[in-house]
Amino acid sequence: MTEFDKYSDLMNLIGYGLAKFDMDFVKEFGFKTRSAFYQYCVDLGLAKTIKSVTNRQDSFDPYFDNGRKGWYQRNQREHIKLFIDSLFGNEDAAGYASIVKLYIQDTGKKIEIPQSAVPPAIKSRFKQLQETGKEAEFYFMTNYKNIPTFENALLEDARLWGDGYDFQIKLNSKYFRGSQRRKGTIRGNPSYAIRI
């Protein structure tokens, strides 16, 4: 696991926010341009390069009517988009940005969030996000066949195997393993990974 892998869930939230709210999301962080916000993510240590931030946005662009195609040929983040929708799909740009700011602050990164700017309902939503590891795992296990990548895959319950994984998905000659202990991570073997 690289230094930046631990922020993959947060980068999914950021990519989703950029794709869905575009400049409204960026402005909630006090920036006038996307490139300044991308650099901010790098400066915080959430991403290694600006390109990795834009790539995360590209992966969510196909799901929103924002004028950008993004990675339209890939649908590998649909389950993540649906999961974020289920938690925060009704939030506007300001509410969603507040949740992302709380998540950034929770990682120990320095970010100023005036407490008066975060309504109690937003704090509750953030708490819900923190407590959804098992829900994310359950959601994926019951819906993985709806994702084109996994529609012909076989899921096996691995909780009793004792090797640290809660389930395993076999697709052709590749195996994908998931564990709720890693905040809903699904890791492929050998080099493929999807995160919730």
mmCIF file of all heavy atoms in Angstrom, residues 26-76:
data_model
loop_
_atom_site.group_PDB
_atom_site.id
_atom_site.type_symbol
_atom_site.label_atom_id
_atom_site.label_comp_id
_atom_site.label_asym_id
_atom_site.label_seq_id
_atom_site.Cartn_x
_atom_site.Cartn_y
_atom_site.Cartn_z
ATOM 1 N N VAL A 26 -15.542 23.447 -6.157
ATOM 2 C CA VAL A 26 -14.237 24.097 -6.041
ATOM 3 C C VAL A 26 -14.351 25.388 -5.233
ATOM 4 O O VAL A 26 -13.532 25.662 -4.347
ATOM 5 C CB VAL A 26 -13.656 24.376 -7.450
ATOM 6 C CG1 VAL A 26 -12.420 25.258 -7.377
ATOM 7 C CG2 VAL A 26 -13.339 23.062 -8.167
ATOM 8 N N LYS A 27 -15.367 26.186 -5.508
ATOM 9 C CA LYS A 27 -15.550 27.476 -4.829
ATOM 10 C C LYS A 27 -15.826 27.293 -3.342
ATOM 11 O O LYS A 27 -15.471 28.159 -2.534
ATOM 12 C CB LYS A 27 -16.672 28.262 -5.491
ATOM 13 C CG LYS A 27 -16.284 28.800 -6.858
ATOM 14 C CD LYS A 27 -17.459 29.475 -7.547
ATOM 15 C CE LYS A 27 -17.065 29.909 -8.952
ATOM 16 N NZ LYS A 27 -18.212 30.444 -9.695
ATOM 17 N N GLU A 28 -16.447 26.180 -2.954
ATOM 18 C CA GLU A 28 -16.699 25.916 -1.536
ATOM 19 C C GLU A 28 -15.400 25.755 -0.751
ATOM 20 O O GLU A 28 -15.379 25.906 0.459
ATOM 21 C CB GLU A 28 -17.579 24.677 -1.361
ATOM 22 C CG GLU A 28 -19.017 24.869 -1.779
ATOM 23 C CD GLU A 28 -19.751 25.902 -0.940
ATOM 24 O OE1 GLU A 28 -19.467 26.022 0.272
ATOM 25 O OE2 GLU A 28 -20.609 26.610 -1.490
ATOM 26 N N PHE A 29 -14.317 25.455 -1.453
ATOM 27 C CA PHE A 29 -13.012 25.341 -0.812
ATOM 28 C C PHE A 29 -12.215 26.636 -0.923
ATOM 29 O O PHE A 29 -11.064 26.700 -0.511
ATOM 30 C CB PHE A 29 -12.224 24.171 -1.417
ATOM 31 C CG PHE A 29 -12.695 22.834 -0.947
ATOM 32 C CD1 PHE A 29 -13.789 22.224 -1.540
ATOM 33 C CD2 PHE A 29 -12.066 22.179 0.101
ATOM 34 C CE1 PHE A 29 -14.247 20.985 -1.093
ATOM 35 C CE2 PHE A 29 -12.512 20.947 0.555
ATOM 36 C CZ PHE A 29 -13.605 20.355 -0.049
ATOM 37 N N GLY A 30 -12.833 27.660 -1.520
ATOM 38 C CA GLY A 30 -12.200 28.970 -1.605
ATOM 39 C C GLY A 30 -11.308 29.180 -2.813
ATOM 40 O O GLY A 30 -10.493 30.101 -2.827
ATOM 41 N N PHE A 31 -11.461 28.340 -3.850
ATOM 42 C CA PHE A 31 -10.625 28.472 -5.036
ATOM 43 C C PHE A 31 -11.437 28.969 -6.221
ATOM 44 O O PHE A 31 -12.634 28.705 -6.328
ATOM 45 C CB PHE A 31 -9.965 27.123 -5.378
ATOM 46 C CG PHE A 31 -9.019 26.667 -4.311
ATOM 47 C CD1 PHE A 31 -9.410 25.716 -3.377
ATOM 48 C CD2 PHE A 31 -7.748 27.208 -4.222
ATOM 49 C CE1 PHE A 31 -8.550 25.313 -2.378
ATOM 50 C CE2 PHE A 31 -6.871 26.802 -3.221
ATOM 51 C CZ PHE A 31 -7.284 25.855 -2.303
ATOM 52 N N LYS A 32 -10.742 29.688 -7.124
ATOM 53 C CA LYS A 32 -11.401 30.251 -8.310
ATOM 54 C C LYS A 32 -11.211 29.386 -9.542
ATOM 55 O O LYS A 32 -11.908 29.556 -10.531
ATOM 56 C CB LYS A 32 -10.880 31.664 -8.581
ATOM 57 C CG LYS A 32 -11.253 32.645 -7.494
ATOM 58 C CD LYS A 32 -10.720 34.027 -7.798
ATOM 59 C CE LYS A 32 -11.103 34.974 -6.674
ATOM 60 N NZ LYS A 32 -10.577 36.322 -6.869
ATOM 61 N N THR A 33 -10.239 28.463 -9.491
ATOM 62 C CA THR A 33 -9.981 27.593 -10.641
ATOM 63 C C THR A 33 -9.860 26.139 -10.174
ATOM 64 O O THR A 33 -9.486 25.871 -9.033
ATOM 65 C CB THR A 33 -8.667 27.976 -11.361
ATOM 66 O OG1 THR A 33 -7.563 27.736 -10.478
ATOM 67 C CG2 THR A 33 -8.688 29.437 -11.807
ATOM 68 N N ARG A 34 -10.179 25.234 -11.096
ATOM 69 C CA ARG A 34 -10.015 23.810 -10.809
ATOM 70 C C ARG A 34 -8.550 23.486 -10.548
ATOM 71 O O ARG A 34 -8.233 22.734 -9.641
ATOM 72 C CB ARG A 34 -10.525 22.966 -11.979
ATOM 73 C CG ARG A 34 -11.973 22.689 -11.954
ATOM 74 C CD ARG A 34 -12.318 21.637 -13.033
ATOM 75 N NE ARG A 34 -13.559 21.995 -13.668
ATOM 76 C CZ ARG A 34 -13.687 22.750 -14.750
ATOM 77 N NH1 ARG A 34 -12.635 23.215 -15.357
ATOM 78 N NH2 ARG A 34 -14.867 23.032 -15.235
ATOM 79 N N SER A 35 -7.668 24.064 -11.362
ATOM 80 C CA SER A 35 -6.243 23.738 -11.217
ATOM 81 C C SER A 35 -5.711 24.139 -9.837
ATOM 82 O O SER A 35 -4.875 23.431 -9.273
ATOM 83 C CB SER A 35 -5.413 24.365 -12.338
ATOM 84 O OG SER A 35 -5.563 25.766 -12.346
ATOM 85 N N ALA A 36 -6.202 25.236 -9.280
ATOM 86 C CA ALA A 36 -5.784 25.632 -7.929
ATOM 87 C C ALA A 36 -6.285 24.617 -6.903
ATOM 88 O O ALA A 36 -5.563 24.268 -5.958
ATOM 89 C CB ALA A 36 -6.308 27.027 -7.603
ATOM 90 N N PHE A 37 -7.502 24.127 -7.094
ATOM 91 C CA PHE A 37 -8.030 23.111 -6.176
ATOM 92 C C PHE A 37 -7.258 21.796 -6.310
ATOM 93 O O PHE A 37 -6.942 21.150 -5.312
ATOM 94 C CB PHE A 37 -9.522 22.875 -6.424
ATOM 95 C CG PHE A 37 -10.097 21.805 -5.542
ATOM 96 C CD1 PHE A 37 -10.344 22.059 -4.196
ATOM 97 C CD2 PHE A 37 -10.371 20.540 -6.045
ATOM 98 C CE1 PHE A 37 -10.861 21.066 -3.368
ATOM 99 C CE2 PHE A 37 -10.886 19.544 -5.228
ATOM 100 C CZ PHE A 37 -11.130 19.812 -3.884
ATOM 101 N N TYR A 38 -6.944 21.408 -7.545
ATOM 102 C CA TYR A 38 -6.156 20.188 -7.757
ATOM 103 C C TYR A 38 -4.813 20.294 -7.019
ATOM 104 O O TYR A 38 -4.380 19.348 -6.359
ATOM 105 C CB TYR A 38 -5.875 19.952 -9.244
ATOM 106 C CG TYR A 38 -7.082 19.764 -10.134
ATOM 107 C CD1 TYR A 38 -7.000 20.062 -11.491
ATOM 108 C CD2 TYR A 38 -8.293 19.289 -9.654
ATOM 109 C CE1 TYR A 38 -8.086 19.885 -12.339
ATOM 110 C CE2 TYR A 38 -9.377 19.114 -10.491
ATOM 111 C CZ TYR A 38 -9.272 19.420 -11.837
ATOM 112 O OH TYR A 38 -10.346 19.248 -12.664
ATOM 113 N N GLN A 39 -4.163 21.456 -7.150
ATOM 114 C CA GLN A 39 -2.884 21.655 -6.488
ATOM 115 C C GLN A 39 -3.040 21.595 -4.967
ATOM 116 O O GLN A 39 -2.191 21.060 -4.264
ATOM 117 C CB GLN A 39 -2.259 22.995 -6.906
ATOM 118 C CG GLN A 39 -0.868 23.211 -6.341
ATOM 119 C CD GLN A 39 0.124 22.161 -6.827
ATOM 120 O OE1 GLN A 39 0.261 21.926 -8.034
ATOM 121 N NE2 GLN A 39 0.819 21.517 -5.899
ATOM 122 N N TYR A 40 -4.148 22.104 -4.475
ATOM 123 C CA TYR A 40 -4.456 22.056 -3.039
ATOM 124 C C TYR A 40 -4.503 20.605 -2.554
ATOM 125 O O TYR A 40 -3.947 20.275 -1.503
ATOM 126 C CB TYR A 40 -5.790 22.758 -2.805
ATOM 127 C CG TYR A 40 -6.364 22.638 -1.421
ATOM 128 C CD1 TYR A 40 -5.792 23.297 -0.342
ATOM 129 C CD2 TYR A 40 -7.513 21.881 -1.196
ATOM 130 C CE1 TYR A 40 -6.343 23.205 0.935
ATOM 131 C CE2 TYR A 40 -8.073 21.785 0.072
ATOM 132 C CZ TYR A 40 -7.478 22.447 1.127
ATOM 133 O OH TYR A 40 -8.021 22.350 2.383
ATOM 134 N N CYS A 41 -5.128 19.727 -3.337
ATOM 135 C CA CYS A 41 -5.199 18.302 -2.964
ATOM 136 C C CYS A 41 -3.800 17.694 -2.901
ATOM 137 O O CYS A 41 -3.512 16.898 -2.008
ATOM 138 C CB CYS A 41 -6.076 17.533 -3.953
ATOM 139 S SG CYS A 41 -7.834 17.967 -3.886
ATOM 140 N N VAL A 42 -2.951 18.081 -3.841
ATOM 141 C CA VAL A 42 -1.565 17.598 -3.845
ATOM 142 C C VAL A 42 -0.811 18.174 -2.643
ATOM 143 O O VAL A 42 -0.108 17.452 -1.935
ATOM 144 C CB VAL A 42 -0.856 17.959 -5.173
ATOM 145 C CG1 VAL A 42 0.629 17.630 -5.114
ATOM 146 C CG2 VAL A 42 -1.525 17.235 -6.344
ATOM 147 N N ASP A 43 -0.981 19.464 -2.394
ATOM 148 C CA ASP A 43 -0.291 20.113 -1.274
ATOM 149 C C ASP A 43 -0.697 19.515 0.074
ATOM 150 O O ASP A 43 0.127 19.428 0.989
ATOM 151 C CB ASP A 43 -0.563 21.620 -1.269
ATOM 152 C CG ASP A 43 0.082 22.339 -2.453
ATOM 153 O OD1 ASP A 43 0.957 21.748 -3.120
ATOM 154 O OD2 ASP A 43 -0.327 23.491 -2.719
ATOM 155 N N LEU A 44 -1.957 19.088 0.190
ATOM 156 C CA LEU A 44 -2.418 18.442 1.417
ATOM 157 C C LEU A 44 -1.839 17.038 1.579
ATOM 158 O O LEU A 44 -1.885 16.462 2.657
ATOM 159 C CB LEU A 44 -3.941 18.335 1.442
ATOM 160 C CG LEU A 44 -4.734 19.550 1.879
ATOM 161 C CD1 LEU A 44 -6.228 19.277 1.778
ATOM 162 C CD2 LEU A 44 -4.384 19.952 3.303
ATOM 163 N N GLY A 45 -1.322 16.481 0.477
ATOM 164 C CA GLY A 45 -0.779 15.126 0.527
ATOM 165 C C GLY A 45 -1.823 14.059 0.265
ATOM 166 O O GLY A 45 -1.603 12.881 0.549
ATOM 167 N N LEU A 46 -2.963 14.451 -0.303
ATOM 168 C CA LEU A 46 -4.023 13.486 -0.603
ATOM 169 C C LEU A 46 -3.753 12.760 -1.914
ATOM 170 O O LEU A 46 -4.231 11.645 -2.118
ATOM 171 C CB LEU A 46 -5.382 14.190 -0.688
ATOM 172 C CG LEU A 46 -5.809 14.974 0.547
ATOM 173 C CD1 LEU A 46 -7.111 15.709 0.286
ATOM 174 C CD2 LEU A 46 -5.930 14.048 1.747
ATOM 175 N N ALA A 47 -3.036 13.412 -2.816
ATOM 176 C CA ALA A 47 -2.724 12.843 -4.126
ATOM 177 C C ALA A 47 -1.268 13.170 -4.453
ATOM 178 O O ALA A 47 -0.731 14.184 -3.994
ATOM 179 C CB ALA A 47 -3.650 13.430 -5.186
ATOM 180 N N LYS A 48 -0.664 12.313 -5.246
ATOM 181 C CA LYS A 48 0.745 12.501 -5.587
ATOM 182 C C LYS A 48 0.933 13.599 -6.631
ATOM 183 O O LYS A 48 1.886 14.371 -6.566
ATOM 184 C CB LYS A 48 1.330 11.180 -6.103
ATOM 185 C CG LYS A 48 2.811 11.206 -6.325
ATOM 186 C CD LYS A 48 3.335 9.835 -6.680
ATOM 187 C CE LYS A 48 4.853 9.853 -6.799
ATOM 188 N NZ LYS A 48 5.382 8.526 -7.089
ATOM 189 N N THR A 49 0.012 13.640 -7.607
ATOM 190 C CA THR A 49 0.121 14.611 -8.698
ATOM 191 C C THR A 49 -1.240 15.211 -9.014
ATOM 192 O O THR A 49 -2.282 14.647 -8.649
ATOM 193 C CB THR A 49 0.644 13.940 -9.985
ATOM 194 O OG1 THR A 49 -0.327 12.967 -10.422
ATOM 195 C CG2 THR A 49 1.992 13.271 -9.778
ATOM 196 N N ILE A 50 -1.220 16.328 -9.715
ATOM 197 C CA ILE A 50 -2.461 16.950 -10.187
ATOM 198 C C ILE A 50 -3.195 15.973 -11.102
ATOM 199 O O ILE A 50 -4.419 15.867 -11.059
ATOM 200 C CB ILE A 50 -2.164 18.285 -10.899
ATOM 201 C CG1 ILE A 50 -1.770 19.336 -9.854
ATOM 202 C CG2 ILE A 50 -3.344 18.752 -11.728
ATOM 203 C CD1 ILE A 50 -1.314 20.659 -10.428
ATOM 204 N N LYS A 51 -2.454 15.260 -11.913
ATOM 205 C CA LYS A 51 -3.065 14.300 -12.848
ATOM 206 C C LYS A 51 -3.869 13.238 -12.100
ATOM 207 O O LYS A 51 -4.929 12.819 -12.557
ATOM 208 C CB LYS A 51 -1.979 13.652 -13.721
ATOM 209 C CG LYS A 51 -2.525 12.777 -14.810
ATOM 210 C CD LYS A 51 -3.310 13.574 -15.813
ATOM 211 C CE LYS A 51 -3.759 12.698 -16.973
ATOM 212 N NZ LYS A 51 -4.754 13.374 -17.798
ATOM 213 N N SER A 52 -3.402 12.819 -10.942
ATOM 214 C CA SER A 52 -4.156 11.807 -10.195
ATOM 215 C C SER A 52 -5.485 12.373 -9.680
ATOM 216 O O SER A 52 -6.465 11.646 -9.563
ATOM 217 C CB SER A 52 -3.325 11.233 -9.051
ATOM 218 O OG SER A 52 -2.934 12.236 -8.150
ATOM 219 N N VAL A 53 -5.535 13.684 -9.409
ATOM 220 C CA VAL A 53 -6.801 14.304 -9.008
ATOM 221 C C VAL A 53 -7.737 14.385 -10.210
ATOM 222 O O VAL A 53 -8.913 14.027 -10.119
ATOM 223 C CB VAL A 53 -6.573 15.716 -8.403
ATOM 224 C CG1 VAL A 53 -7.902 16.327 -7.951
ATOM 225 C CG2 VAL A 53 -5.591 15.665 -7.244
ATOM 226 N N THR A 54 -7.206 14.824 -11.347
ATOM 227 C CA THR A 54 -8.058 14.914 -12.543
ATOM 228 C C THR A 54 -8.517 13.531 -12.995
ATOM 229 O O THR A 54 -9.642 13.381 -13.467
ATOM 230 C CB THR A 54 -7.351 15.645 -13.705
ATOM 231 O OG1 THR A 54 -6.193 14.919 -14.092
ATOM 232 C CG2 THR A 54 -6.976 17.064 -13.317
ATOM 233 N N ASN A 55 -7.667 12.533 -12.827
ATOM 234 C CA ASN A 55 -8.078 11.166 -13.180
ATOM 235 C C ASN A 55 -9.261 10.708 -12.330
ATOM 236 O O ASN A 55 -10.162 10.028 -12.808
ATOM 237 C CB ASN A 55 -6.924 10.186 -13.008
ATOM 238 C CG ASN A 55 -5.912 10.273 -14.121
ATOM 239 O OD1 ASN A 55 -6.157 10.880 -15.159
ATOM 240 N ND2 ASN A 55 -4.750 9.687 -13.906
ATOM 241 N N ARG A 56 -9.241 11.074 -11.045
ATOM 242 C CA ARG A 56 -10.340 10.675 -10.163
ATOM 243 C C ARG A 56 -11.632 11.348 -10.605
ATOM 244 O O ARG A 56 -12.688 10.742 -10.621
ATOM 245 C CB ARG A 56 -9.999 11.025 -8.720
ATOM 246 C CG ARG A 56 -10.827 10.305 -7.705
ATOM 247 C CD ARG A 56 -10.682 8.789 -7.804
ATOM 248 N NE ARG A 56 -9.352 8.356 -7.510
ATOM 249 C CZ ARG A 56 -9.009 7.582 -6.496
ATOM 250 N NH1 ARG A 56 -9.925 7.124 -5.680
ATOM 251 N NH2 ARG A 56 -7.757 7.229 -6.307
ATOM 252 N N GLN A 57 -11.535 12.631 -10.988
ATOM 253 C CA GLN A 57 -12.716 13.322 -11.505
ATOM 254 C C GLN A 57 -13.174 12.660 -12.799
ATOM 255 O O GLN A 57 -14.371 12.427 -12.983
ATOM 256 C CB GLN A 57 -12.390 14.794 -11.765
ATOM 257 C CG GLN A 57 -13.550 15.559 -12.380
ATOM 258 C CD GLN A 57 -13.205 17.000 -12.691
ATOM 259 O OE1 GLN A 57 -12.238 17.540 -12.188
ATOM 260 N NE2 GLN A 57 -14.005 17.620 -13.528
ATOM 261 N N ASP A 58 -12.228 12.361 -13.695
ATOM 262 C CA ASP A 58 -12.571 11.710 -14.967
ATOM 263 C C ASP A 58 -13.340 10.423 -14.757
ATOM 264 O O ASP A 58 -14.222 10.079 -15.543
ATOM 265 C CB ASP A 58 -11.304 11.388 -15.767
ATOM 266 C CG ASP A 58 -10.671 12.604 -16.399
ATOM 267 O OD1 ASP A 58 -11.332 13.662 -16.456
ATOM 268 O OD2 ASP A 58 -9.503 12.499 -16.827
ATOM 269 N N SER A 59 -13.011 9.699 -13.697
ATOM 270 C CA SER A 59 -13.673 8.410 -13.473
ATOM 271 C C SER A 59 -15.132 8.568 -13.068
ATOM 272 O O SER A 59 -15.914 7.629 -13.193
ATOM 273 C CB SER A 59 -12.895 7.590 -12.436
ATOM 274 O OG SER A 59 -12.977 8.190 -11.164
ATOM 275 N N PHE A 60 -15.521 9.754 -12.583
ATOM 276 C CA PHE A 60 -16.917 10.006 -12.215
ATOM 277 C C PHE A 60 -17.658 10.854 -13.246
ATOM 278 O O PHE A 60 -18.893 10.917 -13.216
ATOM 279 C CB PHE A 60 -17.001 10.682 -10.838
ATOM 280 C CG PHE A 60 -16.666 9.761 -9.706
ATOM 281 C CD1 PHE A 60 -15.396 9.743 -9.151
ATOM 282 C CD2 PHE A 60 -17.619 8.885 -9.201
ATOM 283 C CE1 PHE A 60 -15.085 8.884 -8.111
ATOM 284 C CE2 PHE A 60 -17.316 8.017 -8.169
ATOM 285 C CZ PHE A 60 -16.041 8.012 -7.620
ATOM 286 N N ASP A 61 -16.960 11.514 -14.149
ATOM 287 C CA ASP A 61 -17.604 12.386 -15.136
ATOM 288 C C ASP A 61 -18.702 11.712 -15.957
ATOM 289 O O ASP A 61 -19.736 12.324 -16.205
ATOM 290 C CB ASP A 61 -16.557 12.994 -16.079
ATOM 291 C CG ASP A 61 -15.876 14.218 -15.500
ATOM 292 O OD1 ASP A 61 -16.439 14.840 -14.583
ATOM 293 O OD2 ASP A 61 -14.771 14.557 -15.976
ATOM 294 N N PRO A 62 -18.530 10.456 -16.394
ATOM 295 C CA PRO A 62 -19.573 9.853 -17.230
ATOM 296 C C PRO A 62 -20.943 9.735 -16.550
ATOM 297 O O PRO A 62 -21.955 9.580 -17.226
ATOM 298 C CB PRO A 62 -19.024 8.454 -17.546
ATOM 299 C CG PRO A 62 -17.566 8.557 -17.335
ATOM 300 C CD PRO A 62 -17.376 9.567 -16.246
ATOM 301 N N TYR A 63 -20.986 9.824 -15.242
ATOM 302 C CA TYR A 63 -22.238 9.634 -14.515
ATOM 303 C C TYR A 63 -23.020 10.924 -14.312
ATOM 304 O O TYR A 63 -24.111 10.902 -13.739
ATOM 305 C CB TYR A 63 -21.963 8.982 -13.155
ATOM 306 C CG TYR A 63 -21.202 7.688 -13.294
ATOM 307 C CD1 TYR A 63 -19.881 7.593 -12.867
ATOM 308 C CD2 TYR A 63 -21.793 6.567 -13.879
ATOM 309 C CE1 TYR A 63 -19.179 6.416 -13.004
ATOM 310 C CE2 TYR A 63 -21.082 5.393 -14.026
ATOM 311 C CZ TYR A 63 -19.778 5.326 -13.588
ATOM 312 O OH TYR A 63 -19.075 4.155 -13.731
ATOM 313 N N PHE A 64 -22.449 12.049 -14.751
ATOM 314 C CA PHE A 64 -23.099 13.339 -14.540
ATOM 315 C C PHE A 64 -23.156 14.120 -15.843
ATOM 316 O O PHE A 64 -22.251 14.025 -16.668
ATOM 317 C CB PHE A 64 -22.350 14.145 -13.467
ATOM 318 C CG PHE A 64 -22.349 13.485 -12.132
ATOM 319 C CD1 PHE A 64 -21.231 12.792 -11.682
ATOM 320 C CD2 PHE A 64 -23.470 13.519 -11.319
ATOM 321 C CE1 PHE A 64 -21.225 12.164 -10.452
ATOM 322 C CE2 PHE A 64 -23.478 12.883 -10.090
ATOM 323 C CZ PHE A 64 -22.356 12.205 -9.658
ATOM 324 N N ASP A 65 -24.199 14.910 -16.001
ATOM 325 C CA ASP A 65 -24.377 15.742 -17.184
ATOM 326 C C ASP A 65 -23.616 17.043 -16.976
ATOM 327 O O ASP A 65 -24.188 18.073 -16.648
ATOM 328 C CB ASP A 65 -25.868 15.999 -17.413
ATOM 329 C CG ASP A 65 -26.137 16.747 -18.697
ATOM 330 O OD1 ASP A 65 -25.253 16.755 -19.575
ATOM 331 O OD2 ASP A 65 -27.230 17.337 -18.814
ATOM 332 N N ASN A 66 -22.295 16.960 -17.148
ATOM 333 C CA ASN A 66 -21.449 18.120 -16.863
ATOM 334 C C ASN A 66 -20.662 18.590 -18.084
ATOM 335 O O ASN A 66 -19.792 19.432 -17.974
ATOM 336 C CB ASN A 66 -20.488 17.791 -15.714
ATOM 337 C CG ASN A 66 -19.567 16.629 -16.035
ATOM 338 O OD1 ASN A 66 -19.378 16.252 -17.183
ATOM 339 N ND2 ASN A 66 -18.987 16.040 -15.000
ATOM 340 N N GLY A 67 -20.953 18.021 -19.252
ATOM 341 C CA GLY A 67 -20.268 18.434 -20.468
ATOM 342 C C GLY A 67 -18.927 17.759 -20.700
ATOM 343 O O GLY A 67 -18.288 17.982 -21.714
ATOM 344 N N ARG A 68 -18.489 16.929 -19.744
ATOM 345 C CA ARG A 68 -17.224 16.218 -19.897
ATOM 346 C C ARG A 68 -17.508 14.723 -20.045
ATOM 347 O O ARG A 68 -18.374 14.186 -19.383
ATOM 348 C CB ARG A 68 -16.317 16.448 -18.684
ATOM 349 C CG ARG A 68 -15.854 17.881 -18.539
ATOM 350 C CD ARG A 68 -14.890 18.033 -17.374
ATOM 351 N NE ARG A 68 -15.452 17.609 -16.110
ATOM 352 C CZ ARG A 68 -16.111 18.399 -15.259
ATOM 353 N NH1 ARG A 68 -16.305 19.661 -15.565
ATOM 354 N NH2 ARG A 68 -16.568 17.938 -14.131
ATOM 355 N N LYS A 69 -16.762 14.063 -20.893
ATOM 356 C CA LYS A 69 -16.932 12.627 -21.086
ATOM 357 C C LYS A 69 -16.193 11.811 -20.045
ATOM 358 O O LYS A 69 -16.595 10.721 -19.693
ATOM 359 C CB LYS A 69 -16.472 12.210 -22.480
ATOM 360 C CG LYS A 69 -17.361 12.687 -23.577
ATOM 361 C CD LYS A 69 -16.888 12.156 -24.913
ATOM 362 C CE LYS A 69 -17.797 12.631 -26.026
ATOM 363 N NZ LYS A 69 -17.357 12.151 -27.329
ATOM 364 N N GLY A 70 -15.067 12.341 -19.577
ATOM 365 C CA GLY A 70 -14.270 11.583 -18.620
ATOM 366 C C GLY A 70 -13.861 10.256 -19.209
ATOM 367 O O GLY A 70 -13.582 10.146 -20.404
ATOM 368 N N TRP A 71 -13.836 9.248 -18.365
ATOM 369 C CA TRP A 71 -13.497 7.900 -18.824
ATOM 370 C C TRP A 71 -14.784 7.178 -19.201
ATOM 371 O O TRP A 71 -15.189 6.218 -18.566
ATOM 372 C CB TRP A 71 -12.770 7.137 -17.732
ATOM 373 C CG TRP A 71 -11.398 7.641 -17.442
ATOM 374 C CD1 TRP A 71 -10.643 8.471 -18.203
ATOM 375 C CD2 TRP A 71 -10.615 7.347 -16.293
ATOM 376 N NE1 TRP A 71 -9.440 8.717 -17.604
ATOM 377 C CE2 TRP A 71 -9.396 8.028 -16.434
ATOM 378 C CE3 TRP A 71 -10.832 6.557 -15.165
ATOM 379 C CZ2 TRP A 71 -8.396 7.956 -15.482
ATOM 380 C CZ3 TRP A 71 -9.826 6.496 -14.223
ATOM 381 C CH2 TRP A 71 -8.623 7.180 -14.386
ATOM 382 N N TYR A 72 -15.430 7.646 -20.270
ATOM 383 C CA TYR A 72 -16.718 7.084 -20.670
ATOM 384 C C TYR A 72 -16.622 5.617 -21.049
ATOM 385 O O TYR A 72 -17.602 4.882 -20.989
ATOM 386 C CB TYR A 72 -17.322 7.888 -21.825
ATOM 387 C CG TYR A 72 -16.505 7.826 -23.093
ATOM 388 C CD1 TYR A 72 -16.742 6.853 -24.043
ATOM 389 C CD2 TYR A 72 -15.476 8.732 -23.314
ATOM 390 C CE1 TYR A 72 -15.980 6.778 -25.192
ATOM 391 C CE2 TYR A 72 -14.708 8.667 -24.449
ATOM 392 C CZ TYR A 72 -14.971 7.689 -25.397
ATOM 393 O OH TYR A 72 -14.202 7.619 -26.520
ATOM 394 N N GLN A 73 -15.437 5.150 -21.420
ATOM 395 C CA GLN A 73 -15.268 3.755 -21.807
ATOM 396 C C GLN A 73 -15.118 2.833 -20.590
ATOM 397 O O GLN A 73 -15.107 1.635 -20.724
ATOM 398 C CB GLN A 73 -14.092 3.585 -22.765
ATOM 399 C CG GLN A 73 -12.725 3.804 -22.149
ATOM 400 C CD GLN A 73 -12.283 5.268 -22.091
ATOM 401 O OE1 GLN A 73 -13.089 6.173 -22.103
ATOM 402 N NE2 GLN A 73 -10.985 5.488 -22.005
ATOM 403 N N ARG A 74 -15.021 3.415 -19.403
ATOM 404 C CA ARG A 74 -14.886 2.620 -18.183
ATOM 405 C C ARG A 74 -16.086 2.862 -17.275
ATOM 406 O O ARG A 74 -16.473 3.983 -17.053
ATOM 407 C CB ARG A 74 -13.637 3.016 -17.407
ATOM 408 C CG ARG A 74 -12.353 2.756 -18.127
ATOM 409 C CD ARG A 74 -11.224 3.074 -17.191
ATOM 410 N NE ARG A 74 -9.946 3.013 -17.883
ATOM 411 C CZ ARG A 74 -8.802 3.243 -17.295
ATOM 412 N NH1 ARG A 74 -8.760 3.549 -16.016
ATOM 413 N NH2 ARG A 74 -7.683 3.180 -17.959
ATOM 414 N N ASN A 75 -16.649 1.815 -16.756
ATOM 415 C CA ASN A 75 -17.755 1.940 -15.810
ATOM 416 C C ASN A 75 -17.383 1.294 -14.484
ATOM 417 O O ASN A 75 -18.206 0.740 -13.804
ATOM 418 C CB ASN A 75 -19.025 1.284 -16.364
ATOM 419 C CG ASN A 75 -19.586 2.070 -17.522
ATOM 420 O OD1 ASN A 75 -19.427 3.280 -17.585
ATOM 421 N ND2 ASN A 75 -20.244 1.389 -18.439
ATOM 422 N N GLN A 76 -16.115 1.374 -14.107
ATOM 423 C CA GLN A 76 -15.650 0.657 -12.934
ATOM 424 C C GLN A 76 -15.931 1.370 -11.623
ATOM 425 O O GLN A 76 -15.684 0.817 -10.574
ATOM 426 C CB GLN A 76 -14.159 0.381 -13.065
ATOM 427 C CG GLN A 76 -13.854 -0.539 -14.215
ATOM 428 C CD GLN A 76 -12.364 -0.777 -14.364
ATOM 429 O OE1 GLN A 76 -11.557 -0.149 -13.721
ATOM 430 N NE2 GLN A 76 -12.016 -1.700 -15.240
#
